[in-house]
Amino acid sequence: MEAENGEGQVQVHLKTKQEHYGVPDVPYSIDATVTTTELNTFVNTLLTQTSADEHKTVEFDFLVFDEYLRGRLCDHLREKAISFEDAIEIEYVERFPAPEPQDCLLHDDWVSAVKTSGKWVLTGCYDNTLNIWTIKGKHVLTIPGHSMPIKAVAWVSLDNERGKFVSCSQDQTAMLWEWVVETNSVECVSVCKGHERGIDCVDVSPDKEKFATGSWDTMLKIWSSEINEAVDGSSKKAKLDAGSTRTPKMTLQGHRECISAVQWMDNDTLLTSSWDHTMKVWDLNMEGIKTEIATNKSIFDASYSNLNRLIVTASADKNIRLYDPRTSQGSVVRNTYLGHQQWVETIEWSTTDEYLFVSGSYDNQNKLWDCRSPKAPLYDLIGHGDKVLDIDWSNPKYIVSGGADNTVRVYKSRKAVTSNSDTKMDTSK
């Protein structure tokens, strides 16, 4: 049947890696003006006709030439310069369900740093305090110690008996802490001194033996995270009241402005991003820069995925960009993601799904993205009443963000179906 606007019909093959949702592999003739809504109806109708059991309606997303369909099929094909005469392969995947808002954790000031580990949430505030919460919203501990706002936190290790974590502040220090869970007592093990300006970011190595900090002094510093290492010539456990000061194991110079993000790619390789419009990959064995990725924007945050080996960045121009650090051509942007209305402050990949990442912005919103959907996010995660300053997805079950509204927002990330670990690039997770 001809469409009223003369777009006509296209031949399509419908494919899926989720075999339990498979439909007959035959060409289907459909209206070129269809959108995701009509395709959903069509696929669910086919599944109802071919399923031996009663079929419940499923929401799908549709990939056409490696990008999610976000408008009419005919417009998508024109943009990709695909002929309407060709048979078009459309892959459909079960839509990742919307994360559910959970608890709101109220603080006394801006929450500028947040990191989860299991059921625990560690937060850092502009009132110079650290806080430990349960993921269910129960406040466990307030920890003073820093003399200026805290900008970054990270768990080193955590079990049922004790936890170890690091905090970084505008007071130019990083503090290494030990928390005894049973007695709910915390002790500063070491004060790490060496930066000459405020510290903006921190990350712990995969082997948990060291951590890295990036600062407004443009320096990248590597520190030991061992509690029992010799301090001030003593092999005894360091005490704060004994004035234990830890100095960096290594200082790396190369950025020209503030280092905004640091992340270990492996035990000897680090990624940093900076306000100087560059990202750098550092090799600790070389004690220098392995790769530099030039951009044309100040980068406020960057996240590297061990699943897909790609980097997403957050910038002041409201856009998110996808980079491949393996490319030897310098600045090669794989994709740009449009949707935020103000500058993007924080970004992080999922640790379990190679396509998904989350972002937080000065427009008061978090967004959940699929990297194959540059035109629109999967979902807006609303709740914050002011700027989002930090976001974390370390626990795959929860997306957690802190903001200038003095709150931490928790969103439960619901998985659509159990993933098939044998199927590469399966977004059903």
Side-chain angles (χ1 to χ4, degrees):
M1 184 177 69
E2 287 292 312
E4 289 180 15
N5 61 3
E7 292 287 2
Q9 306 245 314
V10 290
Q11 294 264 313
V12 301
H13 286 273
L14 296 169
K15 307 279 188 182
T16 184
K17 294 187 177 80
Q18 296 162 282
E19 294 175 6
H20 52 295
Y21 292 138
V23 298
D25 185 13
V26 296
Y28 299 94
S29 186
I30 62 171
D31 196 315
T33 61
V34 295
T35 64
T36 298
T37 304
E38 288 91 35
L39 282 171
N40 255 306
T41 303
F42 184 55
V43 171
N44 276 286
T45 300
L46 289 173
L47 288 171
T48 301
Q49 293 170 355
T50 58
S51 176
D53 305 316
E54 184 180 349
H55 171 70
K56 293 179 181 175
T57 300
V58 179
E59 289 290 313
F60 294 105
D61 271 311
F62 297 89
L63 277 160
V64 185
F65 295 96
D66 300 320
E67 188 177 306
Y68 274 163
L69 185 65
R70 287 292 179 251
R72 299 190 308 169
L73 178 60
C74 54
D75 298 331
H76 189 95
L77 295 178
R78 278 200 193 91
E79 187 179 299
K80 300 281 186 185
I82 304 299
S83 168
F84 284 41
E85 304 299 318
D86 297 339
I88 308 301
E89 184 172 299
I90 298 178
E91 181 185 345
Y92 55 101
V93 294
E94 186 172 6
R95 183 169 295 167
F96 191 89
E100 298 173 338
Q102 303 288 299
D103 295 277
C104 174
L105 284 48
L106 292 171
H107 292 66
D108 293 332
D109 208 335
W110 288 15
V111 184
S112 43
V114 60
K115 189 67 75 174
T116 59
S117 182
K119 67 178 181 179
W120 304 106
V121 183
L122 176 64
T123 62
C125 279
Y126 262 66
D127 65 3
N128 313 344
T129 67
L130 293 157
N131 291 270
I132 298 175
W133 305 73
T134 70
I135 200 80
K136 300 295 185 185
K138 181 187 175 188
H139 186 256
V140 176
L141 195 59
T142 298
I143 307 164
H146 283 288
S147 60
M148 289 184 73
I150 293 163
K151 295 304 297 290
V153 295
W155 291 98
V156 178
S157 59
L158 182 64
D159 56 33
N160 293 329
E161 296 178 0
R162 60 186 61 228
K164 190 162 61 164
F165 55 89
V166 61
S167 58
C168 298
S169 167
Q170 290 179 351
D171 66 13
Q172 305 179 15
T173 70
M175 286 180 152
L176 186 62
W177 305 82
E178 189 172 35
W179 173 45
V180 180
V181 178
E182 186 179 1
T183 59
N184 197 26
S185 59
V186 72
E187 172 184 63
C188 179
V189 176
S190 278
V191 180
C192 305
K193 293 185 176 180
H195 282 295
E196 296 177 4
R197 294 185 67 187
I199 303 174
D200 211 54
C201 53
V202 65
D203 194 37
V204 177
S205 63
D207 62 13
K208 310 298 184 188
E209 293 179 0
K210 48 198 180 291
F211 62 91
T213 55
S215 164
W216 281 88
D217 66 9
T218 74
M219 300 299 175
L220 172 65
K221 291 182 185 284
I222 314 298
W223 315 77
S224 168
S225 58
E226 297 297 311
I227 283 183
N228 294 317
E229 76 159 10
V231 179
D232 294 340
S234 168
S235 60
K236 295 179 181 177
K237 188 173 171 182
K239 303 284 185 183
L240 178 60
D241 54 18
S244 81
T245 299
R246 188 164 296 203
T247 55
K249 292 166 71 80
M250 191 182 299
T251 297
L252 298 166
Q253 186 172 359
H255 282 294
R256 297 183 307 279
E257 293 188 47
C258 171
I259 297 176
S260 56
V262 59
Q263 184 181 348
W264 295 84
M265 299 168 79
D266 59 43
N267 285 319
D268 299 306
T269 313
L270 286 129
L271 169 73
T272 55
S273 67
S274 170
W275 285 58
D276 67 10
H277 300 192
T278 71
M279 287 183 283
K280 298 184 194 297
V281 178
W282 306 79
D283 185 327
L284 295 194
N285 294 319
M286 290 168 41
E287 297 191 18
I289 298 163
K290 185 174 169 181
T291 312
E292 179 172 308
I293 302 169
T295 76
N296 58 0
K297 304 292 175 189
S298 290
I299 304 172
F300 299 147
D301 199 11
S303 179
Y304 169 78
S305 170
N306 281 306
L307 299 177
N308 61 31
R309 312 287 187 210
L310 300 173
I311 300 167
V312 281
T313 63
S315 295
D317 64 356
K318 312 173 192 176
N319 296 337
I320 293 163
R321 289 176 179 82
L322 180 73
Y323 292 88
D324 187 344
R326 296 162 297 187
T327 304
S328 59
Q329 305 303 314
S331 174
V332 176
V333 179
R334 289 270 297 266
N335 239 329
T336 302
Y337 301 85
L338 315 174
H340 281 297
Q341 302 305 309
Q342 299 276 343
W343 82 15
V344 188
E345 175 69 12
T346 176
I347 197 161
E348 186 168 11
W349 282 104
S350 163
T351 57
T352 55
D353 189 308
E354 65 184 301
Y355 293 119
L356 300 181
F357 62 89
V358 287
S359 61
S361 164
Y362 274 29
D363 62 12
N364 309 353
Q365 287 198 350
N366 299 312
K367 293 181 187 290
L368 172 63
W369 302 83
D370 186 299
C371 63
R372 299 165 297 180
S373 179
K375 293 188 179 69
L378 298 186
Y379 299 105
D380 294 334
L381 309 182
I382 56 176
H384 281 290
D386 206 333
K387 299 184 288 285
V388 180
L389 301 176
D390 197 17
I391 199 163
D392 181 63
W393 204 357
S394 301
N395 181 338
K397 296 178 183 176
Y398 295 97
I399 297 165
V400 182
S401 60
D405 58 359
N406 302 0
T407 72
V408 165
R409 300 279 170 172
V410 180
Y411 307 86
K412 190 170 187 180
S413 175
R414 297 182 299 137
K415 293 190 179 184
V417 292
T418 303
S419 64
N420 177 359
S421 59
D422 296 327
T423 305
K424 180 76 170 162
M425 313 288 263
D426 184 357
T427 57
S428 62
K429 300 177 217 174

